[in-house]
């Protein structure tokens, strides 16, 4: 799941891009890139924002402050946050709020799923893609990309485990009540 030879990986990506362009008749300028590998880790964390005065409704800025609180963890310098995904919100103790914008309350909590990866692995993959002449729009954790491609919203609401079994790793995403609960990569 990780680049072990920059030149070979760049050449393979350039070859794949060329073949895709030829078969589609379109030029590939940029891409969303999926990253896997057992260097990726995930955790759930909660962020909190206080709503001043309880006299105004909750805004997107309040949500962003709560998300920042969830992201403010001490990671080693060799780790990079790939995703901070809101799972659900809590407004003054009211659990499982899906969208708090416009609601009134004094405290906003957000329960998040945070995915981190090796900064080196992300940089190496990005270098290979850009070396092949394709701009990287975003880097997406593999099990989340696979879930987006194959799962229906109703399946996520009912609860589902996605297992993407590959040549060197098995990637897993667990969804509970419509949101991601756990992700991992097994070196199997």
């Amino acid at each position: 799941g990780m680049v072990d030879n920059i030149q070979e990986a760049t050449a393979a990506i350039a070859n794949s891009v060329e073949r895709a362009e030829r078969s589609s008749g379109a030029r590939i300028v940029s891409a969303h890139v999926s990253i896997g590998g057992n260097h990726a880790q995930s955790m759930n964390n909660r962020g909190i924002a206080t709503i001043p005065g309880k006299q105004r409704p909750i805004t997107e800025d309040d949500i962003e402050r709560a998300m920042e609180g969830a992201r403010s963890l001490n990671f080693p310098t060799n780790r990079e946050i790939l995703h901070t995904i809101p799972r659900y919100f809590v407004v003054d103790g009211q659990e499982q709020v899906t969208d708090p914008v416009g609601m009134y309350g004094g405290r906003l909590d957000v329960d998040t799923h945070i995915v981190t990866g090796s900064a080196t692995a992300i940089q190496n993959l990005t270098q290979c893609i850009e070396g092949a002449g394709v701009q990287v729009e975003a880097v997406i954790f593999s099990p989340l990309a696979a879930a987006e491609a194959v799962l229906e919203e109703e399946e996520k609401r009912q609860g589902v485990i996605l297992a993407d079994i590959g040549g060197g790793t098995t990637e897993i995403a667990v969804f509970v009540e419509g949101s991601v609960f756990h992700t991992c990569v097994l070196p199997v």
Side-chain angles (χ1 to χ4, degrees), residues 63-86:
I63 292 173
E64 187 52 41
R65 282 189 298 115
M67 294 286 288
E68 280 298 320
R71 281 190 284 267
S72 63
L73 297 167
N74 289 328
F75 293 110
T77 56
N78 66 339
R79 307 251 1 123
E80 185 175 315
I81 294 179
L82 286 170
H83 303 287
T84 305
I85 304 164

mmCIF file of all heavy atoms in Angstrom, residues 63-86:
data_model
loop_
_atom_site.group_PDB
_atom_site.id
_atom_site.type_symbol
_atom_site.label_atom_id
_atom_site.label_comp_id
_atom_site.label_asym_id
_atom_site.label_seq_id
_atom_site.Cartn_x
_atom_site.Cartn_y
_atom_site.Cartn_z
ATOM 1 N N ILE A 63 -19.964 25.303 13.918
ATOM 2 C CA ILE A 63 -19.618 23.925 13.563
ATOM 3 C C ILE A 63 -18.127 23.818 13.289
ATOM 4 O O ILE A 63 -17.461 22.893 13.758
ATOM 5 C CB ILE A 63 -20.446 23.440 12.351
ATOM 6 C CG1 ILE A 63 -21.913 23.296 12.746
ATOM 7 C CG2 ILE A 63 -19.893 22.130 11.798
ATOM 8 C CD1 ILE A 63 -22.844 22.991 11.605
ATOM 9 N N GLU A 64 -17.576 24.788 12.566
ATOM 10 C CA GLU A 64 -16.143 24.759 12.253
ATOM 11 C C GLU A 64 -15.300 24.872 13.525
ATOM 12 O O GLU A 64 -14.273 24.209 13.655
ATOM 13 C CB GLU A 64 -15.784 25.865 11.256
ATOM 14 C CG GLU A 64 -14.356 25.802 10.763
ATOM 15 C CD GLU A 64 -13.934 24.445 10.217
ATOM 16 O OE1 GLU A 64 -14.717 23.791 9.514
ATOM 17 O OE2 GLU A 64 -12.786 24.023 10.515
ATOM 18 N N ARG A 65 -15.733 25.689 14.492
ATOM 19 C CA ARG A 65 -15.005 25.791 15.761
ATOM 20 C C ARG A 65 -15.023 24.463 16.507
ATOM 21 O O ARG A 65 -14.008 24.030 17.068
ATOM 22 C CB ARG A 65 -15.593 26.899 16.642
ATOM 23 C CG ARG A 65 -15.148 28.282 16.216
ATOM 24 C CD ARG A 65 -15.535 29.385 17.202
ATOM 25 N NE ARG A 65 -16.983 29.512 17.367
ATOM 26 C CZ ARG A 65 -17.645 29.264 18.488
ATOM 27 N NH1 ARG A 65 -17.017 28.882 19.573
ATOM 28 N NH2 ARG A 65 -18.962 29.401 18.546
ATOM 29 N N ALA A 66 -16.155 23.772 16.499
ATOM 30 C CA ALA A 66 -16.240 22.452 17.141
ATOM 31 C C ALA A 66 -15.360 21.435 16.413
ATOM 32 O O ALA A 66 -14.681 20.621 17.049
ATOM 33 C CB ALA A 66 -17.695 21.975 17.191
ATOM 34 N N MET A 67 -15.343 21.506 15.080
ATOM 35 C CA MET A 67 -14.496 20.598 14.288
ATOM 36 C C MET A 67 -13.019 20.860 14.591
ATOM 37 O O MET A 67 -12.225 19.919 14.704
ATOM 38 C CB MET A 67 -14.766 20.775 12.793
ATOM 39 C CG MET A 67 -16.154 20.359 12.345
ATOM 40 S SD MET A 67 -16.392 18.596 12.294
ATOM 41 C CE MET A 67 -15.421 18.184 10.871
ATOM 42 N N GLU A 68 -12.641 22.133 14.715
ATOM 43 C CA GLU A 68 -11.253 22.478 15.060
ATOM 44 C C GLU A 68 -10.881 21.874 16.409
ATOM 45 O O GLU A 68 -9.768 21.389 16.597
ATOM 46 C CB GLU A 68 -11.049 23.994 15.083
ATOM 47 C CG GLU A 68 -10.863 24.612 13.727
ATOM 48 C CD GLU A 68 -9.627 24.102 12.999
ATOM 49 O OE1 GLU A 68 -8.564 23.920 13.627
ATOM 50 O OE2 GLU A 68 -9.754 23.874 11.785
ATOM 51 N N GLY A 69 -11.818 21.922 17.348
ATOM 52 C CA GLY A 69 -11.576 21.324 18.663
ATOM 53 C C GLY A 69 -11.335 19.827 18.560
ATOM 54 O O GLY A 69 -10.474 19.278 19.255
ATOM 55 N N ALA A 70 -12.076 19.157 17.691
ATOM 56 C CA ALA A 70 -11.891 17.710 17.510
ATOM 57 C C ALA A 70 -10.538 17.409 16.874
ATOM 58 O O ALA A 70 -9.910 16.396 17.187
ATOM 59 C CB ALA A 70 -13.018 17.143 16.652
ATOM 60 N N ARG A 71 -10.074 18.292 15.986
ATOM 61 C CA ARG A 71 -8.791 18.087 15.289
ATOM 62 C C ARG A 71 -7.584 18.418 16.150
ATOM 63 O O ARG A 71 -6.471 18.063 15.805
ATOM 64 C CB ARG A 71 -8.732 18.965 14.032
ATOM 65 C CG ARG A 71 -9.478 18.422 12.860
ATOM 66 C CD ARG A 71 -9.163 19.223 11.602
ATOM 67 N NE ARG A 71 -9.827 20.504 11.573
ATOM 68 C CZ ARG A 71 -11.000 20.748 11.012
ATOM 69 N NH1 ARG A 71 -11.652 19.774 10.416
ATOM 70 N NH2 ARG A 71 -11.525 21.956 11.034
ATOM 71 N N SER A 72 -7.790 19.132 17.250
ATOM 72 C CA SER A 72 -6.648 19.604 18.026
ATOM 73 C C SER A 72 -6.106 18.505 18.939
ATOM 74 O O SER A 72 -6.171 18.585 20.156
ATOM 75 C CB SER A 72 -7.017 20.848 18.823
ATOM 76 O OG SER A 72 -8.020 20.544 19.767
ATOM 77 N N LEU A 73 -5.573 17.484 18.324
ATOM 78 C CA LEU A 73 -4.923 16.378 19.014
ATOM 79 C C LEU A 73 -3.417 16.488 18.792
ATOM 80 O O LEU A 73 -2.971 17.080 17.811
ATOM 81 C CB LEU A 73 -5.423 15.040 18.462
ATOM 82 C CG LEU A 73 -6.906 14.754 18.668
ATOM 83 C CD1 LEU A 73 -7.335 13.567 17.818
ATOM 84 C CD2 LEU A 73 -7.179 14.465 20.124
ATOM 85 N N ASN A 74 -2.658 15.917 19.675
ATOM 86 C CA ASN A 74 -1.203 15.914 19.512
ATOM 87 C C ASN A 74 -0.779 14.699 18.695
ATOM 88 O O ASN A 74 -0.777 13.580 19.200
ATOM 89 C CB ASN A 74 -0.501 15.906 20.877
ATOM 90 C CG ASN A 74 -0.652 17.216 21.586
ATOM 91 O OD1 ASN A 74 -0.713 18.258 20.954
ATOM 92 N ND2 ASN A 74 -0.710 17.183 22.904
ATOM 93 N N PHE A 75 -0.469 14.937 17.428
ATOM 94 C CA PHE A 75 0.032 13.888 16.555
ATOM 95 C C PHE A 75 1.528 14.064 16.388
ATOM 96 O O PHE A 75 2.023 15.202 16.396
ATOM 97 C CB PHE A 75 -0.623 13.964 15.163
ATOM 98 C CG PHE A 75 -2.081 13.647 15.158
ATOM 99 C CD1 PHE A 75 -3.020 14.638 14.927
ATOM 100 C CD2 PHE A 75 -2.527 12.349 15.375
ATOM 101 C CE1 PHE A 75 -4.365 14.350 14.918
ATOM 102 C CE2 PHE A 75 -3.868 12.056 15.370
ATOM 103 C CZ PHE A 75 -4.793 13.046 15.140
ATOM 104 N N PRO A 76 2.263 12.971 16.188
ATOM 105 C CA PRO A 76 3.685 13.121 15.855
ATOM 106 C C PRO A 76 3.837 13.908 14.557
ATOM 107 O O PRO A 76 2.925 13.940 13.721
ATOM 108 C CB PRO A 76 4.165 11.673 15.670
ATOM 109 C CG PRO A 76 3.138 10.820 16.323
ATOM 110 C CD PRO A 76 1.846 11.584 16.285
ATOM 111 N N THR A 77 4.983 14.538 14.375
ATOM 112 C CA THR A 77 5.198 15.383 13.193
ATOM 113 C C THR A 77 5.181 14.592 11.895
ATOM 114 O O THR A 77 4.991 15.170 10.842
ATOM 115 C CB THR A 77 6.533 16.136 13.298
ATOM 116 O OG1 THR A 77 7.585 15.188 13.484
ATOM 117 C CG2 THR A 77 6.509 17.121 14.444
ATOM 118 N N ASN A 78 5.339 13.281 11.962
ATOM 119 C CA ASN A 78 5.324 12.472 10.738
ATOM 120 C C ASN A 78 3.922 11.990 10.367
ATOM 121 O O ASN A 78 3.764 11.178 9.472
ATOM 122 C CB ASN A 78 6.270 11.275 10.875
ATOM 123 C CG ASN A 78 5.799 10.282 11.930
ATOM 124 O OD1 ASN A 78 5.027 10.623 12.816
ATOM 125 N ND2 ASN A 78 6.279 9.057 11.836
ATOM 126 N N ARG A 79 2.877 12.502 11.044
ATOM 127 C CA ARG A 79 1.491 12.130 10.744
ATOM 128 C C ARG A 79 0.754 13.344 10.187
ATOM 129 O O ARG A 79 0.993 14.474 10.596
ATOM 130 C CB ARG A 79 0.756 11.638 11.991
ATOM 131 C CG ARG A 79 1.480 10.555 12.696
ATOM 132 C CD ARG A 79 0.977 9.165 12.691
ATOM 133 N NE ARG A 79 -0.176 8.735 12.040
ATOM 134 C CZ ARG A 79 -0.155 7.760 11.126
ATOM 135 N NH1 ARG A 79 0.977 7.237 10.736
ATOM 136 N NH2 ARG A 79 -1.258 7.324 10.591
ATOM 137 N N GLU A 80 -0.160 13.080 9.269
ATOM 138 C CA GLU A 80 -0.955 14.144 8.655
ATOM 139 C C GLU A 80 -2.421 13.745 8.707
ATOM 140 O O GLU A 80 -2.764 12.587 8.449
ATOM 141 C CB GLU A 80 -0.496 14.309 7.204
ATOM 142 C CG GLU A 80 -1.137 15.443 6.468
ATOM 143 C CD GLU A 80 -0.543 15.604 5.075
ATOM 144 O OE1 GLU A 80 0.695 15.546 4.943
ATOM 145 O OE2 GLU A 80 -1.335 15.768 4.126
ATOM 146 N N ILE A 81 -3.291 14.688 9.036
ATOM 147 C CA ILE A 81 -4.732 14.401 9.041
ATOM 148 C C ILE A 81 -5.226 14.374 7.604
ATOM 149 O O ILE A 81 -5.060 15.336 6.861
ATOM 150 C CB ILE A 81 -5.509 15.448 9.865
ATOM 151 C CG1 ILE A 81 -5.131 15.345 11.341
ATOM 152 C CG2 ILE A 81 -7.012 15.255 9.689
ATOM 153 C CD1 ILE A 81 -5.821 16.356 12.237
ATOM 154 N N LEU A 82 -5.817 13.243 7.223
ATOM 155 C CA LEU A 82 -6.426 13.106 5.898
ATOM 156 C C LEU A 82 -7.884 13.556 5.915
ATOM 157 O O LEU A 82 -8.340 14.228 4.994
ATOM 158 C CB LEU A 82 -6.369 11.650 5.428
ATOM 159 C CG LEU A 82 -5.028 11.123 4.973
ATOM 160 C CD1 LEU A 82 -5.086 9.616 4.771
ATOM 161 C CD2 LEU A 82 -4.606 11.802 3.689
ATOM 162 N N HIS A 83 -8.619 13.151 6.950
ATOM 163 C CA HIS A 83 -10.050 13.459 7.027
ATOM 164 C C HIS A 83 -10.453 13.723 8.469
ATOM 165 O O HIS A 83 -9.978 13.057 9.386
ATOM 166 C CB HIS A 83 -10.905 12.272 6.535
ATOM 167 C CG HIS A 83 -10.603 11.817 5.163
ATOM 168 N ND1 HIS A 83 -10.958 12.536 4.049
ATOM 169 C CD2 HIS A 83 -9.966 10.707 4.707
ATOM 170 C CE1 HIS A 83 -10.562 11.875 2.967
ATOM 171 N NE2 HIS A 83 -9.952 10.775 3.348
ATOM 172 N N THR A 84 -11.351 14.672 8.638
ATOM 173 C CA THR A 84 -12.097 14.860 9.883
ATOM 174 C C THR A 84 -13.558 14.870 9.466
ATOM 175 O O THR A 84 -14.039 15.846 8.892
ATOM 176 C CB THR A 84 -11.723 16.173 10.594
ATOM 177 O OG1 THR A 84 -10.312 16.196 10.793
ATOM 178 C CG2 THR A 84 -12.422 16.285 11.929
ATOM 179 N N ILE A 85 -14.233 13.772 9.723
ATOM 180 C CA ILE A 85 -15.602 13.575 9.236
ATOM 181 C C ILE A 85 -16.582 13.706 10.400
ATOM 182 O O ILE A 85 -16.486 12.939 11.369
ATOM 183 C CB ILE A 85 -15.748 12.188 8.581
ATOM 184 C CG1 ILE A 85 -14.720 12.026 7.466
ATOM 185 C CG2 ILE A 85 -17.168 11.962 8.082
ATOM 186 C CD1 ILE A 85 -14.526 10.598 7.017
ATOM 187 N N PRO A 86 -17.519 14.657 10.339
ATOM 188 C CA PRO A 86 -18.517 14.734 11.414
ATOM 189 C C PRO A 86 -19.448 13.523 11.355
ATOM 190 O O PRO A 86 -19.975 13.197 10.292
ATOM 191 C CB PRO A 86 -19.268 16.033 11.120
ATOM 192 C CG PRO A 86 -19.020 16.318 9.685
ATOM 193 C CD PRO A 86 -17.724 15.676 9.317
#
